[in-house]
Amino acid sequence: MIPQLLFFYFGGVTILSALVAVIAPNLVHSALSLLVAFIHIAGLYILLHAEFIAAVQIIVYAGAILVLYLFVLMLFNPKQESFYLHRQLPV
């Protein structure tokens, strides 16, 4: 009974945080919800008794890939770029 509840918890939070990662207007909030999704996917791996894959999920994806994503976000400076994307052109 408890593993089923944990599965539904991890699966539900993974789906919700993945949706927030896609829908969120703020890119930093999107990255943080992606971190939540990665951690809960690792929880699903633990329920499957794949502890090594769960550890790799945390170390590689939540650690390295997400830090790289945030680094690119800070270099991109989305507030400055959004001005040029949404500016009305004179007719």
Side-chain angles (χ1 to χ4, degrees):
M1 181 71 179
I2 292 178
Q4 289 177 344
L5 290 175
L6 285 174
F7 175 77
F8 287 124
Y9 166 73
F10 286 136
V13 172
T14 300
I15 290 171
L16 287 176
S17 62
L19 284 174
V20 170
V22 172
I23 295 172
N26 190 348
L27 294 176
V28 176
H29 293 164
S30 174
L32 290 177
S33 70
L34 194 62
L35 174 67
V36 171
F38 286 156
I39 290 172
H40 282 82
I41 288 171
L44 287 171
Y45 285 139
I46 289 174
L47 286 178
L48 291 172
H49 300 290
E51 290 84 8
F52 177 74
I53 297 177
V56 168
Q57 173 77 23
I58 296 288
I59 293 168
V60 173
Y61 286 105
I65 301 296
L66 197 66
V67 167
L68 180 67
Y69 180 68
L70 285 172
F71 181 71
V72 169
L73 275 177
M74 296 307 150
L75 282 177
F76 178 60
N77 198 1
K79 292 181 182 181
Q80 184 182 16
E81 296 292 328
S82 67
F83 172 74
Y84 297 110
L85 292 176
H86 300 292
R87 189 176 68 179
Q88 294 290 332
L89 295 175
V91 179

